[in-house]
Amino acid sequence: MNYRELVSRGDLHYEHTVKRSEGGLPIGNGRMGTLVWTSPSAVKFQVNRVDVYANDRSTNSFNQRHLDYGYACGFVDIDFVDYGEDVFEDGTIRQHLSLYDALAAIGGSEVNLEAFAYDHSDVFAVSVHDERENPQGINIKLKMLRPAEVVTKSHSAISKLSMHKDMMILKQEFREGDYYCASAVAIGIKGRDGVIRMNDEFGGRSPVGDFRVSKVLGQPNETEMRLCVKPGSGSFDIFIASAATFDENVDIADQAISQIESARNAGYESMLTEHKEWWNEFWHKSYIRLSSEDGTAEFLEKHYTYYVYLMASNSRGGQYPPNFGGMLLSPRGDFRHWGAMQWWSNLRLYYNAVLATGHYELMQPYFSMYTGMYDSCAIAAEQQWGSKGIYIPETVWFNGVDELPEDIATEMRELYLLRKPWEERSERFKQYAHNKHPHESRWNWKGHESWVDGNLVYTDKSWGPFGSTSHMFANIAGIAYHYWNYYEYTKDLAWLRDRAYPMIKGAVEFMRNYPHLRKDDDGKYHMYNTISGEKYIGGKDTIQSTAALHGIMPVMLKAAEVLDMDPEMRPVWEEFYSNLAPLPKSDHPEAVFKTKDDEPAVWVGAIGDVLDNRSDIATDPMRYLNLCSLETAYDNPEWFETGKSTLKYQEALLGEDWGKAATEMSSVASMLAGMGLAEEFKQAVLAQLECINADREYCYYADTGRVKFYDNRLTVREGVNAISAQRIGNSANGLQYALCQSQPAGPGKESVINVFPACPKDWNAEFSLWCHGGFKVTSEICKGVIEFVKIESTLGGKCRLRNPWGERELVVHQGDHVQMVSKASLLEFDTDKGTTYTVAISP
């Protein structure tokens, strides 16, 4: 495989300027990132980090939606023109993002620049080459994101520009009560002389070697500093470093300065060599290559490759994942639509496809954040709900859930569990809630706000204590299932014991002890008063809550068995699981949606009345927790048939056009591929990547008219400054399912590898992807013919492969040795660690 040629097919190439900053070239090292974009005279950056938050879970200062902020550290402009001709204009500009080298290059009129985010420290390295006949001074500007002092109620944001020798420094500090966060950006150059110019109250000028620092008498709160580079032909290098901390005793500026010093000592070329080596090796882990006569396969392939690049650039090495809206790429400051909290239903769309790439390291920021909030979520389970385990809100701050005053917690439980009428809220509770953020799930009953006579006034959403996400619990099981899935791929027992098991048990115990879950007269455990996907408000056995229980309970039992833990609880869990209420179906007399007597039953959203008057079918079991997939047909055919009937009913409602369901957030492509529906998958995934919504309208309108997405394939469907790759993550997950699945027949059951289960018939495909059990599977299909399946066993153990040739006799080779010959539908054979096996049709 020529990896450079393959990966480069996904590169970004522009021969024009981008009309908005959101269309810039993305670079990042997983902790720090930016878009790189141009104005006619300058190249621009916004330094963003995963660990910079203006406030945390304890804030009382941001009770308006969208106004909390974070991630950004500063603006940087490299301005090539003072008085003279612009250098970046349509017709002469060339922009290129190499995915294989993770290198952005911009060429203009006799000026060229390339930049990358260094992988071994938090430094952007930039090389500038100026070949103008009359070179001008180049101004590197370091700019604050906001005025030097901003106070919002109890919150303060203080920014300060300073100089250290020949470097510019921008430091910002956020404080509210005991909360503290600080970031620093430092900039230095190598290979050219310069002068730093800044207004402050001292005045004077002091030379530093060949480098000069100029201070001009003026105001102390100037928001911009310039490093003025001496005019000259040839090349010089710019280094932009960042650092962040939550400890006010840490000299964060010194950390940024140290990174600049190390970068200058190493030099640009040495750093670039190391950087390319890392990325080039990264791409060898796995791949997908597609082709088709109509070009649709290549179109999908380049988005898949780009997805892998984006995840490695935005989620690696840090303690926190990027925010779903904006990632590390926001270019318009640190305010972004939907704020700085994490929304799990959005965030998961970035991570669902990671494990099959084999890049397990990209999951670690996601796991670190949720594990880090465990203790606060355990307190929240008891305080808010009177339950056990952990309560992770659907929408949550990066460090979890704030501990409540005991009187507020007591009243909250009474209100949210419907024991106290909503109209009887105390003034104390109302005032406490008034100061809280309306996006946070526990306060999400708050409706839109308005200003009346200088006062901020809220309405609620008219459902009492229910908001859009207030009583959503399926995400807790979904997060825990990601931990379990990581174990399925790695078989890492230490991970299962120390990291996954606490989350799985925490999810189970929360839902099992939720006060509105009870065993009814039918002998089944039913869950009341929950929300499913921001709908079916207050329903009984809502589809996502019930599916979450059916998904996480067998995993709990399997994990406890593997680890030999909690023997006293296993009978309790087994009894609970065996008596769970079934998923809600249309043949239930109280279903929110009923099919006709002569129609097959389908899954629906809930049982009984719901406050939002929803009446709909539900495809959730085919989307989450391995509840219904191709393998289910062999283990639970009745369940599988219900899944097929549900999809058929949904297809009819869509006018047989699955593209209508393929919105930005929709996982419909994964669902269809998971059920083996190749042409339906193709229809959905292509519509999704064209960014067409359910009304067949494009999701975003630019100043220049209707467009599908920006030049860099990203959208702002989520709103201002909230750049999104959700649709790309969805398409990546769907493509993996279409080419290679390693799904079990149900949660906690043995996984089975299935190659090309939903590959469109007019596509040729080749892949190397990772499966449960540490198996790396490589195969190819050309004109509908599968030549071979190669399975590398990295961990050893039993391999289970669904026969991709139907009833043909197969032979399994280990080198020249024949391991087995079989015509069975399911091949099962033992493997040795580090050994490769080839499966093909028997000659």
Side-chain angles (χ1 to χ4, degrees), residues 69 73-75 143-152 155-161 170-174 220-224 333-335:
Y69 57 102
C73 305
F75 293 114
K143 300 187 289 185
M144 296 179 187
L145 294 155
R146 67 195 76 78
E149 288 192 30
V150 175
V151 175
T152 305
H155 166 82
S156 66
I158 309 299
S159 301
K160 181 180 180 181
L161 288 161
L170 168 58
K171 181 179 179 181
Q172 57 179 3
E173 293 182 303
F174 304 109
N221 62 344
E222 195 69 26
T223 61
E224 178 182 310
D334 49 9
F335 288 96

Side-chain angles (χ1 to χ4, degrees), residues 203-504:
R205 173 180 292 183
S206 58
V208 181
D210 293 331
F211 207 99
R212 292 181 298 158
V213 177
S214 175
K215 303 178 184 178
V216 181
L217 187 64
Q219 298 298 317
N221 62 344
E222 195 69 26
T223 61
E224 178 182 310
M225 179 183 286
R226 290 178 295 147
L227 196 165
C228 306
V229 182
K230 182 178 179 180
S233 298
S235 300
F236 71 97
D237 303 322
I238 305 168
F239 300 103
I240 306 166
S242 74
T245 184
F246 297 103
D247 184 351
E248 59 184 313
N249 296 312
V250 171
D251 188 339
I252 200 61
D254 185 61
Q255 288 189 8
I257 290 165
S258 295
Q259 293 186 102
I260 294 292
E261 291 171 341
S262 296
R264 289 201 292 207
N265 288 335
Y268 180 87
E269 290 301 327
S270 175
M271 292 171 65
L272 180 59
T273 298
E274 279 190 334
H275 173 80
K276 286 183 175 181
E277 287 175 351
W278 189 93
W279 274 94
N280 297 172
E281 181 63 25
F282 170 87
W283 289 111
H284 288 225
K285 194 80 172 181
S286 62
Y287 67 86
I288 289 177
R289 187 183 188 98
L290 305 174
S291 65
S292 64
E293 289 187 4
D294 62 3
T296 56
E298 290 89 340
F299 175 73
L300 180 53
E301 178 208 289
K302 73 178 183 181
H303 281 82
Y304 177 81
T305 305
Y306 190 53
Y307 161 78
V308 178
Y309 170 82
L310 287 174
M311 290 307 296
S313 300
N314 286 270
S315 178
R316 175 163 50 93
Q319 189 178 354
Y320 303 102
N323 183 267
F324 80 91
M327 301 180 285
L328 291 175
L329 307 177
S330 292
R332 294 175 176 256
D334 49 9
F335 288 96
R336 51 178 72 178
H337 206 69
W338 303 112
M341 277 183 274
Q342 290 290 8
W343 302 59
W344 181 78
S345 290
N346 302 77
L347 184 64
R348 65 183 171 85
L349 305 182
Y350 291 98
Y351 286 95
N352 286 337
V354 165
L355 291 173
T357 70
H359 292 293
Y360 305 147
E361 71 279 7
L362 305 185
M363 293 293 299
Q364 296 309 319
Y366 173 92
F367 291 135
S368 293
M369 180 183 73
Y370 283 115
T371 293
M373 65 176 69
Y374 183 97
D375 290 344
S376 74
C377 294
I379 294 171
E382 170 60 34
Q383 281 202 316
Q384 184 167 341
W385 301 106
S387 188
K388 298 180 180 179
I390 53 172
Y391 166 59
I392 307 176
E394 160 69 20
T395 307
V396 67
W397 300 102
F398 73 95
N399 60 346
V401 194
D402 195 29
E403 186 170 353
L404 298 168
E406 199 51 49
D407 63 322
I408 296 294
T410 299
E411 185 169 0
M412 176 179 278
R413 284 194 303 275
E414 295 298 297
L415 290 166
Y416 287 28
L417 294 173
L418 310 181
R419 297 166 179 163
K420 179 177 181 177
W422 187 242
E423 297 75 19
E424 295 180 12
R425 285 167 291 165
S426 68
E427 290 303 315
R428 158 87 167 137
F429 184 87
K430 290 179 182 178
Q431 185 57 48
Y432 190 91
H434 182 82
N435 294 327
K436 293 300 181 180
H437 201 299
H439 283 158
E440 187 179 359
S441 288
R442 62 171 25 164
W443 310 110
N444 192 237
W445 47 264
K446 296 167 73 172
H448 288 283
E449 65 271 11
S450 61
W451 289 92
V452 178
D453 296 329
N455 297 309
L456 185 66
V457 177
Y458 283 98
T459 59
D460 63 35
K461 294 181 177 177
S462 76
W463 302 319
F466 293 99
S468 299
T469 65
S470 60
H471 292 62
M472 278 176 64
F473 305 140
N475 66 291
I476 311 172
I479 293 164
Y481 202 85
H482 269 145
Y483 280 74
W484 169 255
N485 211 27
Y486 185 90
Y487 166 73
E488 289 274 52
Y489 276 88
T490 65
K491 296 302 179 184
D492 184 339
L493 283 172
W495 165 271
L496 180 61
R497 180 184 62 251
D498 300 334
R499 300 289 298 278
Y501 194 79
M503 302 299 289
I504 296 167

Side-chain angles (χ1 to χ4, degrees), residues 1-13 96-103 279-280 283 287-289 298 301-306 309 713:
M1 173 60 64
N2 184 335
Y3 286 94
R4 179 177 289 278
E5 183 273 335
L6 172 63
V7 173
S8 296
R9 287 152 59 115
D11 286 2
L12 297 179
H13 299 274
H96 177 224
L97 176 66
S98 166
L99 303 188
Y100 190 70
D101 293 329
L103 183 67
W279 274 94
N280 297 172
W283 289 111
Y287 67 86
I288 289 177
R289 187 183 188 98
E298 290 89 340
E301 178 208 289
K302 73 178 183 181
H303 281 82
Y304 177 81
T305 305
Y306 190 53
Y309 170 82
R713 307 177 190 137

